[in-house]
Amino acid sequence: MMSATSTLALTHFVTLADSFDKDKVTPGVLGFIVFAVIGGAVWLLMKSMNKQMKKVDFEEQPEDGDAGTTASAAAQAPKPKTS
């Protein structure tokens, strides 16, 4: 048995359905499917990006040729005399 509030709610929905313009374009099921596919693609791209970013080493490593000459030049620099 239906209560008075549910009957009143259903009558509001019926009046909304009658006033609905049937020529109006709505996204419908196809719009939802397209939106869901785009959302899934973005999720997969973010997951892949996270995987690739974990592989990146952010610490800067000196190059072989430049690091050797800089370190040896600094080590062989003459020290000033203080006496």
Side-chain angles (χ1 to χ4, degrees), residues 35-56:
F35 188 76
V37 167
I38 291 172
V42 168
W43 180 74
L44 287 173
L45 285 170
M46 292 293 287
K47 188 174 176 181
S48 174
M49 186 183 70
N50 264 345
K51 183 177 164 184
Q52 296 299 320
M53 291 299 282
K54 286 180 183 177
K55 292 180 183 179
V56 174

Side-chain angles (χ1 to χ4, degrees), residues 62-70:
E63 295 178 11
D64 293 336
D66 293 338
T69 57
T70 308

Side-chain angles (χ1 to χ4, degrees), residues 2 6-9 12-13 21-22 24 26 31-32 38 43 48-50 52-53 55-57 59 67 71-72 76 79:
M2 296 177 64
S6 62
T7 306
L8 184 62
H12 285 294
F13 284 128
D21 186 12
K22 292 179 177 46
K24 185 177 179 181
T26 59
F32 173 75
I38 291 172
W43 180 74
S48 174
M49 186 183 70
N50 264 345
Q52 296 299 320
M53 291 299 282
K55 292 180 183 179
V56 174
D57 182 21
E59 292 184 20
S72 62
Q76 294 178 1
K79 296 181 184 177

